Amino acid sequence: EIVMTQSPATLSVSPGERTTLSCRASQSVSSNLAWYQQKPGQSPSLVLYGASTRATGFPARFSGSGSGTEFTLTISSLQSEDFAVYYCQQYHIWPYTFGQGTKLEIK
Amino acid sequence: QVLLQESGPGLVKPSQTLSLTCTVSGGSISDVDFNWNWIRQSPGKGLEWIGYIYFTGSTYYNPSLKSRVTISADTSKNQVSLKLTSVSAADSAVYFCARDSASSLTYFGFDVWGQGTSVIVSS
């Protein structure tokens, strides 16, 4: 199976700052990558798919890039509601697999 | 608005069978555009995709769980079910049902999730 590795595990950032989260796949997944946001006690919410297409409800400050094995999720100006855990997921090959998550916390 | 609601026992004894149900409202599991998935989340293993079912009954399971998993659908009740046999403490997790696209051409990830149900395996 494809192993997804996210870095860093925790990111401390101040509101208003720009931040970038990374995700690496153990083999190419083309652009078949999604990002999810999960807040405490909630289920994950789809943020991006196709590596860079925003899902419904997520503002333009969320953007994604990458293809093959290296991907990034960038949040241009962090708002209080953005502090959460973010997961990447590949849907290139079954079984679909998730990264272990990056926790975005307030500095 | 499509809503998913998981239900089932919160406590299962080791070696027994875990049985969960996902009730879909605001949409139909017979919709040709979607698969219905089970995903679990545990502190030790993170998010793990278990498998999916299409309304025709077609299924696909994670090879790591395939020998123990059955996903079925009841279109009359608009429900999807998960059975996991011979459970151990390693199967303790929050179990989610989630929807994704049945088409690889218009795939968009897991766009609708249930709230999840916690299952603990313990005697």
Side-chain angles (χ1 to χ4, degrees), chain A residues 7-46:
Chain A
S7 60
T10 304
L11 201 50
S12 298
V13 187
S14 299
E17 289 188 346
R18 176 188 179 94
T19 191
T20 298
L21 287 63
S22 297
C23 174
R24 174 178 293 178
S26 60
Q27 65 187 77
S28 176
V29 299
S30 187
S31 296
N32 297 316
L33 185 105
W35 288 92
Y36 299 85
Q37 176 193 73
Q38 187 176 31
K39 297 180 179 179
Q42 298 183 16
S43 55
S45 296
L46 178 67

mmCIF file of all heavy atoms in Angstrom, chain A residues 7-46:
data_model
loop_
_atom_site.group_PDB
_atom_site.id
_atom_site.type_symbol
_atom_site.label_atom_id
_atom_site.label_comp_id
_atom_site.label_asym_id
_atom_site.label_seq_id
_atom_site.Cartn_x
_atom_site.Cartn_y
_atom_site.Cartn_z
ATOM 1 N N SER A 7 4.425 16.196 7.321
ATOM 2 C CA SER A 7 5.364 16.919 8.179
ATOM 3 C C SER A 7 4.995 18.404 8.206
ATOM 4 O O SER A 7 4.457 18.933 7.234
ATOM 5 C CB SER A 7 6.799 16.736 7.668
ATOM 6 O OG SER A 7 6.918 17.233 6.340
ATOM 7 N N PRO A 8 5.280 19.054 9.350
ATOM 8 C CA PRO A 8 5.682 18.406 10.602
ATOM 9 C C PRO A 8 4.474 17.794 11.308
ATOM 10 O O PRO A 8 3.350 17.943 10.833
ATOM 11 C CB PRO A 8 6.248 19.598 11.398
ATOM 12 C CG PRO A 8 5.401 20.752 10.945
ATOM 13 C CD PRO A 8 5.131 20.506 9.481
ATOM 14 N N ALA A 9 4.709 17.127 12.422
ATOM 15 C CA ALA A 9 3.599 16.560 13.181
ATOM 16 C C ALA A 9 2.773 17.662 13.830
ATOM 17 O O ALA A 9 1.552 17.564 13.933
ATOM 18 C CB ALA A 9 4.123 15.589 14.236
ATOM 19 N N THR A 10 3.456 18.703 14.288
ATOM 20 C CA THR A 10 2.800 19.850 14.917
ATOM 21 C C THR A 10 3.411 21.120 14.367
ATOM 22 O O THR A 10 4.624 21.190 14.162
ATOM 23 C CB THR A 10 2.953 19.812 16.442
ATOM 24 O OG1 THR A 10 2.439 18.582 16.947
ATOM 25 C CG2 THR A 10 2.196 20.966 17.091
ATOM 26 N N LEU A 11 2.568 22.092 14.138
ATOM 27 C CA LEU A 11 2.998 23.383 13.612
ATOM 28 C C LEU A 11 2.360 24.469 14.471
ATOM 29 O O LEU A 11 1.146 24.534 14.594
ATOM 30 C CB LEU A 11 2.552 23.501 12.161
ATOM 31 C CG LEU A 11 3.221 24.464 11.212
ATOM 32 C CD1 LEU A 11 4.733 24.334 11.247
ATOM 33 C CD2 LEU A 11 2.697 24.239 9.794
ATOM 34 N N SER A 12 3.208 25.309 15.067
ATOM 35 C CA SER A 12 2.710 26.407 15.900
ATOM 36 C C SER A 12 2.817 27.698 15.099
ATOM 37 O O SER A 12 3.926 28.106 14.729
ATOM 38 C CB SER A 12 3.523 26.516 17.189
ATOM 39 O OG SER A 12 3.393 25.344 17.953
ATOM 40 N N VAL A 13 1.689 28.317 14.865
ATOM 41 C CA VAL A 13 1.638 29.491 14.002
ATOM 42 C C VAL A 13 0.726 30.545 14.631
ATOM 43 O O VAL A 13 -0.262 30.203 15.301
ATOM 44 C CB VAL A 13 1.111 29.119 12.602
ATOM 45 C CG1 VAL A 13 1.225 30.296 11.655
ATOM 46 C CG2 VAL A 13 1.861 27.919 12.040
ATOM 47 N N SER A 14 1.047 31.800 14.400
ATOM 48 C CA SER A 14 0.219 32.891 14.908
ATOM 49 C C SER A 14 -0.906 33.211 13.933
ATOM 50 O O SER A 14 -0.727 33.098 12.710
ATOM 51 C CB SER A 14 1.065 34.144 15.125
ATOM 52 O OG SER A 14 2.082 33.907 16.070
ATOM 53 N N PRO A 15 -2.060 33.616 14.442
ATOM 54 C CA PRO A 15 -3.153 34.041 13.559
ATOM 55 C C PRO A 15 -2.680 35.140 12.614
ATOM 56 O O PRO A 15 -1.893 36.020 12.990
ATOM 57 C CB PRO A 15 -4.216 34.547 14.534
ATOM 58 C CG PRO A 15 -3.953 33.798 15.790
ATOM 59 C CD PRO A 15 -2.454 33.652 15.862
ATOM 60 N N GLY A 16 -3.152 35.062 11.391
ATOM 61 C CA GLY A 16 -2.770 36.041 10.387
ATOM 62 C C GLY A 16 -1.555 35.642 9.570
ATOM 63 O O GLY A 16 -1.328 36.184 8.479
ATOM 64 N N GLU A 17 -0.793 34.703 10.072
ATOM 65 C CA GLU A 17 0.399 34.257 9.348
ATOM 66 C C GLU A 17 0.017 33.275 8.244
ATOM 67 O O GLU A 17 -1.062 32.686 8.238
ATOM 68 C CB GLU A 17 1.409 33.614 10.302
ATOM 69 C CG GLU A 17 2.086 34.600 11.237
ATOM 70 C CD GLU A 17 3.212 33.955 12.033
ATOM 71 O OE1 GLU A 17 3.301 32.715 12.074
ATOM 72 O OE2 GLU A 17 4.006 34.710 12.623
ATOM 73 N N ARG A 18 0.964 33.070 7.355
ATOM 74 C CA ARG A 18 0.849 32.088 6.273
ATOM 75 C C ARG A 18 1.565 30.819 6.716
ATOM 76 O O ARG A 18 2.621 30.880 7.344
ATOM 77 C CB ARG A 18 1.516 32.653 5.024
ATOM 78 C CG ARG A 18 1.581 31.723 3.829
ATOM 79 C CD ARG A 18 2.444 32.377 2.737
ATOM 80 N NE ARG A 18 2.596 31.562 1.560
ATOM 81 C CZ ARG A 18 1.823 31.662 0.492
ATOM 82 N NH1 ARG A 18 0.845 32.544 0.463
ATOM 83 N NH2 ARG A 18 2.033 30.881 -0.562
ATOM 84 N N THR A 19 0.991 29.676 6.377
ATOM 85 C CA THR A 19 1.628 28.435 6.771
ATOM 86 C C THR A 19 1.482 27.383 5.678
ATOM 87 O O THR A 19 0.525 27.406 4.894
ATOM 88 C CB THR A 19 1.043 27.906 8.091
ATOM 89 O OG1 THR A 19 1.870 26.845 8.572
ATOM 90 C CG2 THR A 19 -0.378 27.379 7.917
ATOM 91 N N THR A 20 2.445 26.469 5.639
ATOM 92 C CA THR A 20 2.436 25.403 4.636
ATOM 93 C C THR A 20 2.634 24.054 5.307
ATOM 94 O O THR A 20 3.566 23.880 6.104
ATOM 95 C CB THR A 20 3.550 25.633 3.594
ATOM 96 O OG1 THR A 20 3.303 26.876 2.917
ATOM 97 C CG2 THR A 20 3.569 24.509 2.580
ATOM 98 N N LEU A 21 1.742 23.126 4.976
ATOM 99 C CA LEU A 21 1.815 21.768 5.486
ATOM 100 C C LEU A 21 2.265 20.872 4.338
ATOM 101 O O LEU A 21 1.866 21.085 3.189
ATOM 102 C CB LEU A 21 0.448 21.300 5.989
ATOM 103 C CG LEU A 21 -0.084 21.871 7.300
ATOM 104 C CD1 LEU A 21 -0.321 23.377 7.237
ATOM 105 C CD2 LEU A 21 -1.384 21.152 7.679
ATOM 106 N N SER A 22 3.044 19.842 4.669
ATOM 107 C CA SER A 22 3.593 18.966 3.635
ATOM 108 C C SER A 22 3.084 17.546 3.751
ATOM 109 O O SER A 22 2.793 17.047 4.848
ATOM 110 C CB SER A 22 5.117 18.957 3.715
ATOM 111 O OG SER A 22 5.641 20.237 3.454
ATOM 112 N N CYS A 23 3.009 16.894 2.604
ATOM 113 C CA CYS A 23 2.566 15.503 2.527
ATOM 114 C C CYS A 23 3.384 14.831 1.438
ATOM 115 O O CYS A 23 3.521 15.364 0.325
ATOM 116 C CB CYS A 23 1.075 15.458 2.203
ATOM 117 S SG CYS A 23 0.401 13.807 1.901
ATOM 118 N N ARG A 24 3.923 13.684 1.767
ATOM 119 C CA ARG A 24 4.721 12.927 0.809
ATOM 120 C C ARG A 24 4.168 11.524 0.668
ATOM 121 O O ARG A 24 3.815 10.890 1.659
ATOM 122 C CB ARG A 24 6.174 12.861 1.279
ATOM 123 C CG ARG A 24 7.083 11.970 0.433
ATOM 124 C CD ARG A 24 8.508 12.001 0.926
ATOM 125 N NE ARG A 24 9.099 13.319 0.724
ATOM 126 C CZ ARG A 24 10.336 13.642 1.105
ATOM 127 N NH1 ARG A 24 11.086 12.747 1.735
ATOM 128 N NH2 ARG A 24 10.805 14.841 0.883
ATOM 129 N N ALA A 25 4.099 11.058 -0.572
ATOM 130 C CA ALA A 25 3.638 9.701 -0.855
ATOM 131 C C ALA A 25 4.823 8.788 -1.147
ATOM 132 O O ALA A 25 5.816 9.230 -1.737
ATOM 133 C CB ALA A 25 2.687 9.705 -2.047
ATOM 134 N N SER A 26 4.706 7.530 -0.749
ATOM 135 C CA SER A 26 5.809 6.583 -0.944
ATOM 136 C C SER A 26 5.987 6.186 -2.409
ATOM 137 O O SER A 26 7.027 5.632 -2.776
ATOM 138 C CB SER A 26 5.577 5.337 -0.088
ATOM 139 O OG SER A 26 4.362 4.692 -0.448
ATOM 140 N N GLN A 27 4.993 6.455 -3.228
ATOM 141 C CA GLN A 27 5.093 6.298 -4.680
ATOM 142 C C GLN A 27 4.132 7.290 -5.311
ATOM 143 O O GLN A 27 3.276 7.855 -4.618
ATOM 144 C CB GLN A 27 4.792 4.863 -5.110
ATOM 145 C CG GLN A 27 3.375 4.426 -4.851
ATOM 146 C CD GLN A 27 3.173 2.944 -5.131
ATOM 147 O OE1 GLN A 27 3.549 2.085 -4.346
ATOM 148 N NE2 GLN A 27 2.560 2.654 -6.271
ATOM 149 N N SER A 28 4.259 7.494 -6.593
ATOM 150 C CA SER A 28 3.450 8.513 -7.244
ATOM 151 C C SER A 28 1.953 8.233 -7.103
ATOM 152 O O SER A 28 1.491 7.106 -7.299
ATOM 153 C CB SER A 28 3.798 8.600 -8.730
ATOM 154 O OG SER A 28 2.940 9.539 -9.356
ATOM 155 N N VAL A 29 1.228 9.290 -6.764
ATOM 156 C CA VAL A 29 -0.229 9.212 -6.724
ATOM 157 C C VAL A 29 -0.838 10.186 -7.740
ATOM 158 O O VAL A 29 -2.024 10.523 -7.665
ATOM 159 C CB VAL A 29 -0.780 9.495 -5.304
ATOM 160 C CG1 VAL A 29 -0.256 8.468 -4.326
ATOM 161 C CG2 VAL A 29 -0.460 10.909 -4.845
ATOM 162 N N SER A 30 -0.003 10.655 -8.681
ATOM 163 C CA SER A 30 -0.440 11.645 -9.660
ATOM 164 C C SER A 30 -1.001 12.857 -8.914
ATOM 165 O O SER A 30 -0.353 13.359 -7.998
ATOM 166 C CB SER A 30 -1.459 11.019 -10.608
ATOM 167 O OG SER A 30 -1.783 11.898 -11.653
ATOM 168 N N SER A 31 -2.195 13.289 -9.249
ATOM 169 C CA SER A 31 -2.842 14.381 -8.509
ATOM 170 C C SER A 31 -4.013 13.875 -7.687
ATOM 171 O O SER A 31 -4.900 14.638 -7.295
ATOM 172 C CB SER A 31 -3.321 15.464 -9.477
ATOM 173 O OG SER A 31 -2.233 16.065 -10.129
ATOM 174 N N ASN A 32 -4.021 12.583 -7.438
ATOM 175 C CA ASN A 32 -5.125 11.954 -6.724
ATOM 176 C C ASN A 32 -4.934 12.061 -5.214
ATOM 177 O O ASN A 32 -4.734 11.064 -4.507
ATOM 178 C CB ASN A 32 -5.261 10.503 -7.163
ATOM 179 C CG ASN A 32 -5.593 10.397 -8.643
ATOM 180 O OD1 ASN A 32 -6.443 11.126 -9.148
ATOM 181 N ND2 ASN A 32 -4.912 9.506 -9.343
ATOM 182 N N LEU A 33 -5.010 13.293 -4.747
ATOM 183 C CA LEU A 33 -4.748 13.568 -3.350
ATOM 184 C C LEU A 33 -5.786 14.529 -2.790
ATOM 185 O O LEU A 33 -6.150 15.511 -3.437
ATOM 186 C CB LEU A 33 -3.361 14.188 -3.165
ATOM 187 C CG LEU A 33 -3.019 14.373 -1.690
ATOM 188 C CD1 LEU A 33 -2.028 13.336 -1.216
ATOM 189 C CD2 LEU A 33 -2.555 15.766 -1.376
ATOM 190 N N ALA A 34 -6.239 14.223 -1.581
ATOM 191 C CA ALA A 34 -7.194 15.076 -0.885
ATOM 192 C C ALA A 34 -6.619 15.502 0.459
ATOM 193 O O ALA A 34 -5.759 14.822 1.027
ATOM 194 C CB ALA A 34 -8.517 14.336 -0.680
ATOM 195 N N TRP A 35 -7.108 16.629 0.929
ATOM 196 C CA TRP A 35 -6.775 17.121 2.271
ATOM 197 C C TRP A 35 -8.063 17.254 3.075
ATOM 198 O O TRP A 35 -9.094 17.674 2.555
ATOM 199 C CB TRP A 35 -6.109 18.498 2.186
ATOM 200 C CG TRP A 35 -4.720 18.522 1.649
ATOM 201 C CD1 TRP A 35 -4.348 18.705 0.341
ATOM 202 C CD2 TRP A 35 -3.503 18.392 2.386
ATOM 203 N NE1 TRP A 35 -2.970 18.687 0.219
ATOM 204 C CE2 TRP A 35 -2.428 18.505 1.471
ATOM 205 C CE3 TRP A 35 -3.195 18.198 3.740
ATOM 206 C CZ2 TRP A 35 -1.093 18.430 1.847
ATOM 207 C CZ3 TRP A 35 -1.869 18.121 4.129
ATOM 208 C CH2 TRP A 35 -0.831 18.239 3.196
ATOM 209 N N TYR A 36 -7.960 16.918 4.362
ATOM 210 C CA TYR A 36 -9.084 17.011 5.272
ATOM 211 C C TYR A 36 -8.686 17.817 6.506
ATOM 212 O O TYR A 36 -7.522 17.788 6.937
ATOM 213 C CB TYR A 36 -9.545 15.616 5.724
ATOM 214 C CG TYR A 36 -10.008 14.745 4.592
ATOM 215 C CD1 TYR A 36 -9.103 13.994 3.859
ATOM 216 C CD2 TYR A 36 -11.344 14.699 4.223
ATOM 217 C CE1 TYR A 36 -9.503 13.217 2.786
ATOM 218 C CE2 TYR A 36 -11.766 13.916 3.161
ATOM 219 C CZ TYR A 36 -10.836 13.182 2.447
ATOM 220 O OH TYR A 36 -11.249 12.417 1.384
ATOM 221 N N GLN A 37 -9.681 18.489 7.067
ATOM 222 C CA GLN A 37 -9.520 19.221 8.315
ATOM 223 C C GLN A 37 -10.365 18.524 9.382
ATOM 224 O O GLN A 37 -11.532 18.201 9.132
ATOM 225 C CB GLN A 37 -10.019 20.662 8.137
ATOM 226 C CG GLN A 37 -10.002 21.507 9.388
ATOM 227 C CD GLN A 37 -10.800 22.798 9.194
ATOM 228 O OE1 GLN A 37 -12.033 22.779 9.153
ATOM 229 N NE2 GLN A 37 -10.105 23.913 9.059
ATOM 230 N N GLN A 38 -9.775 18.299 10.543
ATOM 231 C CA GLN A 38 -10.539 17.703 11.630
ATOM 232 C C GLN A 38 -10.355 18.515 12.907
ATOM 233 O O GLN A 38 -9.236 18.718 13.366
ATOM 234 C CB GLN A 38 -10.127 16.243 11.876
ATOM 235 C CG GLN A 38 -11.023 15.537 12.879
ATOM 236 C CD GLN A 38 -10.687 14.080 13.064
ATOM 237 O OE1 GLN A 38 -9.535 13.670 12.949
ATOM 238 N NE2 GLN A 38 -11.690 13.251 13.352
ATOM 239 N N LYS A 39 -11.484 18.951 13.459
ATOM 240 C CA LYS A 39 -11.479 19.663 14.730
ATOM 241 C C LYS A 39 -11.850 18.684 15.838
ATOM 242 O O LYS A 39 -12.483 17.656 15.578
ATOM 243 C CB LYS A 39 -12.442 20.841 14.659
ATOM 244 C CG LYS A 39 -12.012 21.864 13.611
ATOM 245 C CD LYS A 39 -12.966 23.031 13.536
ATOM 246 C CE LYS A 39 -12.482 24.031 12.484
ATOM 247 N NZ LYS A 39 -13.391 25.196 12.351
ATOM 248 N N PRO A 40 -11.477 18.996 17.067
ATOM 249 C CA PRO A 40 -11.720 18.063 18.179
ATOM 250 C C PRO A 40 -13.184 17.651 18.293
ATOM 251 O O PRO A 40 -14.084 18.493 18.247
ATOM 252 C CB PRO A 40 -11.272 18.875 19.403
ATOM 253 C CG PRO A 40 -10.240 19.808 18.880
ATOM 254 C CD PRO A 40 -10.716 20.182 17.515
ATOM 255 N N GLY A 41 -13.394 16.353 18.396
ATOM 256 C CA GLY A 41 -14.737 15.828 18.561
ATOM 257 C C GLY A 41 -15.576 15.804 17.301
ATOM 258 O O GLY A 41 -16.765 15.483 17.357
ATOM 259 N N GLN A 42 -14.978 16.161 16.156
ATOM 260 C CA GLN A 42 -15.717 16.195 14.905
ATOM 261 C C GLN A 42 -15.147 15.193 13.906
ATOM 262 O O GLN A 42 -14.022 14.710 14.064
ATOM 263 C CB GLN A 42 -15.689 17.600 14.301
ATOM 264 C CG GLN A 42 -16.338 18.663 15.166
ATOM 265 C CD GLN A 42 -16.348 20.019 14.487
ATOM 266 O OE1 GLN A 42 -16.142 20.143 13.277
ATOM 267 N NE2 GLN A 42 -16.616 21.065 15.253
ATOM 268 N N SER A 43 -15.916 14.913 12.898
ATOM 269 C CA SER A 43 -15.408 14.089 11.810
ATOM 270 C C SER A 43 -14.588 14.960 10.858
ATOM 271 O O SER A 43 -14.701 16.190 10.883
ATOM 272 C CB SER A 43 -16.577 13.434 11.066
ATOM 273 O OG SER A 43 -17.504 14.400 10.635
ATOM 274 N N PRO A 44 -13.736 14.343 10.068
ATOM 275 C CA PRO A 44 -12.957 15.123 9.094
ATOM 276 C C PRO A 44 -13.863 15.814 8.078
ATOM 277 O O PRO A 44 -14.935 15.324 7.753
ATOM 278 C CB PRO A 44 -12.090 14.054 8.411
ATOM 279 C CG PRO A 44 -11.982 12.955 9.422
ATOM 280 C CD PRO A 44 -13.315 12.935 10.100
ATOM 281 N N SER A 45 -13.396 16.950 7.581
ATOM 282 C CA SER A 45 -14.088 17.688 6.519
ATOM 283 C C SER A 45 -13.156 17.823 5.331
ATOM 284 O O SER A 45 -11.979 18.165 5.494
ATOM 285 C CB SER A 45 -14.491 19.092 7.003
ATOM 286 O OG SER A 45 -15.420 19.014 8.053
ATOM 287 N N LEU A 46 -13.694 17.563 4.155
ATOM 288 C CA LEU A 46 -12.903 17.655 2.934
ATOM 289 C C LEU A 46 -12.538 19.099 2.644
ATOM 290 O O LEU A 46 -13.425 19.961 2.578
ATOM 291 C CB LEU A 46 -13.711 17.068 1.774
ATOM 292 C CG LEU A 46 -13.078 17.102 0.391
ATOM 293 C CD1 LEU A 46 -11.861 16.175 0.331
ATOM 294 C CD2 LEU A 46 -14.108 16.701 -0.673
#
